[in-house]
C-alpha cells in the first residue's frame, strides 16, 4: 500500500522545519553578512560584495591557517583511524575485558576538551612536564613541545589523536561485532587461517561501511579543532598552530570584523561539504556492503 503524498509531507515537515531554522537560515545569514563590512557592535553596515573573499586570498594568516588545518586533518584523521582500529582488534581478541577497555578508551572523547587541554599543558611543560621527565629517563633531551614552531602543531595533533581514537575505537568495535562468525569460519576452511590474511581478505573489506563513516566523522571533527589551540598555544608560536576556526574567532571577536570572519566561515562550511563529497566519491566505490 503506497503512502499518500500528503502524509509523507506531514511526516517530513517537522524535520524540514528544524533544518530550515537551525541550518539553512543561519548559513544564509552568515553568507549575507560576508557581503558586508559590518563590525561587531556597529549600528550600520555597507555592502561590499565579494571584497571580503578577494581579501582572503591575499591574507597570509588565512593561508597559513588553512595549511595548518589541512596538516592537522591528515595527521589526526589518519592517526585516529590507525590507533582506533588497532585497539579495536586487540580488544576484540580479549572478550573478557571488552567493556572496561571500551569505556576507558572512550573517556577522552566524552570528556570536556578544555579541561583536558589544561592537563596536557602540564604534561607537556618544558621543565616540569611528565612527558619530558619520561624522555629524560631514556636519554632523550627535553623539548619545548608547545613553544617550538617545529613541534607545536604535531603536539596539538597528538592530543587530537588521543581524543578521537577512542571514538574510532567504539565504532570499529561495533563493526567487528557485526561481522558474522560464519564468514570467518568459511575463510578458515578456504585456507585463510593466518591473522593478517584473515584481516586483509575478510575483516577489512567487511569493515568498509564502518571505515567510511569513521573517516567522515573524524575528518569533520578534525576540521573543527579550536579548544586545544585556543587554550594551549593561541595559534602560536609565530602562527605555527593557527587553524581556521581560531582565525575566524580572532577576526570576529578580537578584531570585531564580523563581515570578514563570516567570509571565512562560508569558506570553512564549503570546505567541509567539499571534503565530505570527495571522501564519499573516493571511498564509496571501494566499500563493500554485506
Amino acid at each position: 500500500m503506497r503512502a499518500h503524498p500528503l502524509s509523507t509531507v506531514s511526516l517530513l515537515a517537522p524535520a524540514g522545519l528544524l533544518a530550515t531554522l537551525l541550518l539553512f537560515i543561519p548559513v544564509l545569514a552568515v553568507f549575507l553578512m560576508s557581503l558586508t563590512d559590518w563590525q561587531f557592535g556597529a549600528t550600520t553596515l555597507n555592502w561590499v560584495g565579494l571584497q571580503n573573499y578577494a581579501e582572503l586570498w591575499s591574507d597570509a594568516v588565512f593561508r597559513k591557517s588553512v595549511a595548518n588545518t589541512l596538516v592537522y586533518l591528515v595527521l589526526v584523521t589518519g592517526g585516529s583511524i590507525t590507533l582506533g582500529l588497532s585497539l579495536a582488534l586487540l580488544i576484540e581478541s580479549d572478550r573478557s575485558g571488552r567493556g572496561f577497555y571500551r569505556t576507558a578508551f572512550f573517556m577522552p572523547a566524552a570528556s570536556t576538551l578544555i579541561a583536558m587541554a589544561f592537563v596536557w599543558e602540564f604534561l607537556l611543560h618544558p621543565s616540569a612536564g611528565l612527558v619530558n621527565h619520561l624522555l629524560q629517563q631514556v636519554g632523550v633531551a627535553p623539548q619545548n613541545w608547545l613553544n617550538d614552531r617545529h613541534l607545536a602543531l604535531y603536539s596539538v595533533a597528538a592530543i587530537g589523536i588521543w581524543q578521537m581514537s577512542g571514538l574510532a575505537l567504539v565504532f570499529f568495535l561495533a563493526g567487528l561485532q557485526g561481522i558474522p562468525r560464519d564468514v570467518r569460519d568459511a575463510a578458515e576452511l578456504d585456507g585463510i587461517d593466518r591473522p593478517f590474511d584473515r584481516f586483509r581478505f575478510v575483516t577489512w573489506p567487511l569493515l568498509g561501511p564502518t571505515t567510511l563513516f569513521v573517516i567522515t566523522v573524524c575528518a569533520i571533527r578534525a576540521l573543527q579543532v579550536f579548544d586545544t589551540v585556543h587554550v594551549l598555544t593561541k595559534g602560536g608560536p609565530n602562527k605555527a598552530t593557527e587553524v581556521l576556526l581560531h582565525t575566524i574567532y580572532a577576526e570576529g571577536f578580537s578584531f570585531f570584523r564580523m563581515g570578514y570572519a563570516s567570509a571565512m566561515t562560508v569558506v570553512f562550511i564549503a570546505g567541509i561539504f567539499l571534503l565530505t563529497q570527495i571522501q564519499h566519491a573516493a571511498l564509496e566505490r571501494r566499500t563493500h556492503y554485506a
Side-chain angles (χ1 to χ4, degrees), residues 6 15 51 54 68 70 87 111 115 121 124 128 144 148 162 193 207 210 217 224 227 233 240 246 263-265 284:
L6 290 179
Q51 179 178 327
N68 287 340
L70 292 177
L87 292 173
S111 302
E121 186 176 21
L124 297 175
N144 199 348
D148 186 332
W162 166 82
D193 51 359
L207 280 178
T210 303
V217 171
Q224 294 174 337
D227 308 65
T233 65
H246 192 266
M264 289 186 179
T265 304
E284 183 75 19

Side-chain angles (χ1 to χ4, degrees), residues 64 68 144-156 228-243 246:
K64 181 67 172 177
N68 287 340
N144 199 348
W145 299 101
L146 298 175
N147 291 311
D148 186 332
R149 63 186 182 90
H150 299 294
L151 297 175
L153 183 60
Y154 298 102
S155 301
V156 174
T228 49
V229 171
H230 186 66
V231 172
L232 296 177
T233 65
K234 297 292 190 299
N238 194 26
K239 303 299 181 183
T241 59
E242 186 72 26
V243 291
H246 192 266

Side-chain angles (χ1 to χ4, degrees), residues 69-131:
T69 302
L70 292 177
V71 172
Y72 182 91
L73 168 69
V74 173
L75 292 176
V76 172
T77 303
S80 299
I81 291 172
T82 302
L83 183 58
L85 179 58
S86 301
L87 292 173
L89 291 171
L90 290 174
I91 294 173
E92 180 68 13
S93 64
D94 181 17
R95 296 177 179 270
S96 60
R98 181 188 300 167
F100 169 77
Y101 292 122
R102 181 165 46 194
T103 303
F105 285 114
F106 184 71
M107 284 185 65
S111 302
T112 303
L113 193 55
I114 292 181
M116 293 296 100
F118 284 111
V119 175
W120 276 103
E121 186 176 21
F122 172 74
L123 292 175
L124 297 175
H125 193 276
S127 58
L130 179 62
V131 173

Side-chain angles (χ1 to χ4, degrees), residues 4-68:
H4 194 277
L6 290 179
S7 63
T8 304
V9 171
S10 63
L11 290 173
L12 293 177
L17 179 62
L18 286 176
T20 301
L21 293 176
L22 301 178
L23 180 61
F24 298 119
I25 290 179
V27 169
L28 178 61
V30 169
F31 175 72
L32 293 176
M33 193 183 301
S34 72
L35 303 177
T36 72
D37 63 353
W38 184 61
Q39 295 190 353
F40 190 75
T43 58
T44 60
L45 56 83
N46 297 308
W47 291 96
V48 296
L50 299 178
Q51 179 178 327
N52 288 325
Y53 293 95
E55 185 178 346
L56 286 178
W57 309 120
S58 60
D59 188 341
V61 175
F62 173 75
R63 294 199 306 269
K64 181 67 172 177
S65 68
V66 171
N68 287 340

Side-chain angles (χ1 to χ4, degrees), residues 198-271:
R198 190 161 56 246
F199 170 78
R200 178 183 176 186
F201 295 110
V202 179
T203 305
W204 181 242
L206 292 178
L207 280 178
T210 303
T211 304
L212 177 61
F213 177 77
V214 172
I215 290 176
T216 302
V217 171
C218 289
I220 291 176
R221 294 194 63 172
L223 285 174
Q224 294 174 337
V225 59
F226 172 80
D227 308 65
T228 49
V229 171
H230 186 66
V231 172
L232 296 177
T233 65
K234 297 292 190 299
N238 194 26
K239 303 299 181 183
T241 59
E242 186 72 26
V243 291
L244 193 51
L245 276 187
H246 192 266
T247 304
I248 293 172
Y249 171 83
E251 289 291 342
F253 297 100
S254 295
F255 306 133
F256 305 118
R257 302 178 63 196
M258 295 302 297
Y260 190 56
S262 297
M264 289 186 179
T265 304
V266 172
V267 173
F268 174 72
I269 295 173

